[in-house]
């Protein structure tokens, strides 16, 4: 049976109203507490910037494309923070044991602290991010959270509920968008809320996208409540990773949660945000495009087309940047 992603605007509006009320006080307080940053002479070399750019282009291609639609003077900051995220992801994926991973995360915590001094750790990534911190006043909160949430996810292994994944997305993925907003000079509640909702959709996409690989390793990132709700037999899938009707139902349910967030952001938060926030919020476009490809694959995460880069992402980013939104009337039916 073919399924379609839920694009009901009333359902989206209901979620957003609750989210807005929950986040109103927090965002206002955060914006009021921003401190002015001091400018120092740049320490990054052109080769450092190029190192970060190439690292992001190779390992996070979709978001590299997003960065190209940002004003030129902000791109170095985006590449530095995205490169730092690439290294944090590698820390969890390439280390042979949890103790080694914790040591690498400890190194990155020390590195983040050094970025707010005149003597940052001397690596290409830290020098580029240090300059971003000094030039744009990037909040320490986002960089610390980037490290802590990656470590927490490694130690937590699985998530109990869909709400846990959403909370993780708001923290671990949105903290890549918040610094981009700060580099653009945006200090706005609606843009911050948009970043959190996009972070949720990014987490949903990442979890579904990694299913084939993780099932082959005897792991599953789908939240346990969805596994139970749709009666997914994980032991059977660990033995023979493949699409089953139960897994398809769970993936459909999960993907719909992420897609609903993106439609809601475009409908409510984006029109209320400063136009200068758009380059950072374009991070939603590759996620939307991938979830729609998942829909065309009938929610089969094993479909090989989902593991390939899509040439349509660049086109859709250009259209969204010109239109000021990634939402089309055809998104609702």
């Amino acid at each position: 049976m073919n399924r379609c992603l839920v694009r009901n605007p009333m359902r989206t509006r209901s979620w957003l109203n609750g989210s807005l009320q929950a986040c109103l006080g927090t965002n206002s307080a955060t914006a009021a507490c921003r401190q002015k940053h001091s400018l120092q002479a740049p320490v990054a070399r052109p080769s450092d910037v190029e190192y970060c750019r190439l690292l992001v282009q190779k390992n996070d291609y979709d978001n590299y494309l997003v960065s190209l639609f940002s004003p030129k003077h902000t791109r170095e900051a985006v590449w530095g923070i995205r490169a730092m995220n690439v290294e944090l992801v590698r820390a969890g994926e390439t280390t042979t044991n949890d103790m080694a991973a914790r040591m690498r995360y400890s190194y990155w915590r020390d590195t983040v602290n050094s970025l707010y001094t005149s003597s940052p750790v001397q690596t290409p990534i830290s020098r580029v991010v240090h300059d971003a911190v000094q030039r744009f006043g990037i909040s320490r909160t986002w960089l610390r959270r980037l490290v802590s949430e990656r470590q927490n996810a490694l130690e937590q292994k699985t998530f109990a509920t869909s709400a846990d994944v959403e909370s993780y997305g708001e923290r671990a993925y949105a903290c890549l968008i918040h610094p981009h907003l700060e580099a653009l000079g945006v200090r706005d509640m609606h843009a911050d809320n948009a970043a959190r909702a996009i972070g949720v959709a990014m987490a949903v996409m990442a979890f579904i996208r990694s299913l084939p690989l993780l099932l082959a390793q005897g792991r599953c990132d789908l939240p346990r409540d969805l596994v139970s709700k749709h009666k997914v037999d994980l032991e059977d899938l660990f033995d023979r990773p493949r699409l089953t009707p139960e897994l398809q139902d769970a993936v459909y349910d999960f993907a719909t949660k992420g897609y609903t967030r993106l439609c809601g952001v475009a409908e409510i938060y984006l029109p209320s945000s400063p136009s200068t926030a758009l380059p950072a919020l374009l991070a939603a476009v590759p996620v939307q495009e991938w979830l729609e490809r998942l829909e065309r694959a009938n929610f089969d995460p094993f479909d090989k087309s989902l593991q390939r880069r899509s040439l349509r992402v660049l086109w859709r980013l250009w259209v969204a940047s010109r239109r000021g939104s990634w939402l089309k009337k055809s998104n609702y039916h």
Side-chain angles (χ1 to χ4, degrees):
M1 179 182 68
N2 290 330
R3 299 165 173 79
C4 294
L5 290 164
V6 174
R7 301 171 171 89
N8 187 315
M10 295 307 296
R11 172 174 173 176
T12 299
R13 197 178 294 273
S14 174
W15 166 76
L16 285 167
N17 287 340
S19 176
L20 182 59
Q21 292 299 321
C23 297
L24 188 59
T26 302
N27 285 336
S28 299
T30 300
C33 293
R34 305 280 188 190
Q35 295 183 349
K36 291 185 178 180
H37 55 283
S38 60
L39 292 175
Q40 297 180 7
V43 298
R45 308 163 188 142
S47 60
D48 296 337
V49 176
E50 183 66 3
Y51 173 84
C52 291
R53 186 189 72 81
L54 292 175
L55 188 65
V56 176
Q57 184 182 36
K58 179 180 179 180
N59 296 279
D60 191 3
Y61 186 70
D62 285 347
N63 284 300
Y64 171 73
L65 293 180
V66 171
S67 74
L68 300 181
F69 290 85
S70 196
K72 190 173 182 179
H73 72 279
T74 66
R75 293 177 192 168
E76 294 180 9
V78 176
W79 294 335
I81 293 169
R82 287 282 177 180
M84 178 178 165
N85 182 61
V86 169
E87 291 298 333
L88 288 168
V89 172
R90 285 178 173 175
E93 293 178 346
T94 62
T95 48
T96 55
N97 57 70
D98 290 349
M99 179 59 71
R102 280 193 287 269
M103 291 176 63
R104 292 183 68 175
Y105 287 125
S106 177
Y107 160 80
W108 278 107
R109 279 194 297 273
D110 293 340
T111 297
V112 167
N113 289 332
S114 80
L115 300 177
Y116 294 83
T117 71
S118 59
S119 303
V121 171
Q122 292 300 304
T123 66
I125 293 175
S126 61
R127 286 192 289 266
V128 172
V129 179
H130 172 269
D131 286 355
V133 166
Q134 299 303 320
R135 183 175 185 182
F136 301 112
I138 304 299
S139 300
R140 193 190 306 239
T141 299
W142 309 131
L143 302 184
R144 281 179 168 175
R145 187 176 295 174
L146 189 60
V147 178
S148 63
E149 291 302 322
R150 291 298 181 188
Q151 181 173 358
N152 290 342
L154 179 69
E155 295 176 351
Q156 187 172 343
K157 304 298 185 184
T158 62
F159 293 83
T161 68
S162 299
D164 292 337
V165 175
E166 292 173 9
S167 179
Y168 173 69
E170 289 180 351
R171 299 190 307 271
Y173 286 89
C175 64
L176 291 165
I177 303 174
H178 290 299
H180 194 167
L181 288 169
E182 291 184 334
L184 293 166
V186 175
R187 305 289 194 272
D188 180 79
M189 176 190 69
H190 297 290
D192 285 344
N193 285 338
R196 275 196 290 272
I198 294 170
V200 171
M202 293 171 75
V204 168
M205 179 191 74
F207 281 31
I208 297 175
R209 200 172 195 168
S210 65
L211 266 177
L213 176 63
L214 292 183
L215 287 173
Q217 297 173 352
R219 297 166 50 203
C220 178
D221 272 351
L222 286 179
R224 294 194 296 273
D225 64 341
L226 283 184
V227 171
S228 176
K229 174 183 176 181
H230 296 287
K231 298 180 173 57
V232 180
D233 188 343
L234 289 181
E235 293 302 322
D236 178 48
L237 291 176
F238 292 158
D239 289 337
R240 287 195 305 138
R242 68 197 187 284
L243 182 68
T244 64
E246 296 80 12
L247 180 62
Q248 186 180 37
D249 289 341
V251 168
Y252 164 71
D253 196 344
F254 200 31
T256 297
K257 295 179 188 297
Y259 198 86
T260 301
R261 299 296 187 269
L262 296 181
C263 292
V265 169
E267 182 191 357
I268 303 297
Y269 290 144
L270 189 57
S272 304
S273 301
S275 60
T276 50
L278 181 63
L281 302 183
L282 286 176
V285 173
V287 184
Q288 182 187 38
E289 195 277 337
W290 191 87
L291 290 174
E292 290 175 356
R293 278 198 284 152
L294 177 67
E295 179 184 35
R296 291 194 294 273
N298 203 17
F299 301 94
D300 178 4
F302 294 91
D303 191 299
K304 294 188 182 302
S305 67
L306 298 176
Q307 303 300 327
R308 295 194 292 266
R309 292 175 179 173
S310 171
L311 298 177
R312 298 177 61 186
V313 171
L314 185 59
W315 166 253
R316 292 182 67 164
L317 282 167
W318 183 83
V319 170
S321 68
R322 299 273 295 193
R323 182 185 292 144
S325 175
W326 53 86
L327 188 66
K328 299 179 293 185
K329 289 183 179 179
S330 60
N331 283 125
Y332 286 156
H333 60 247

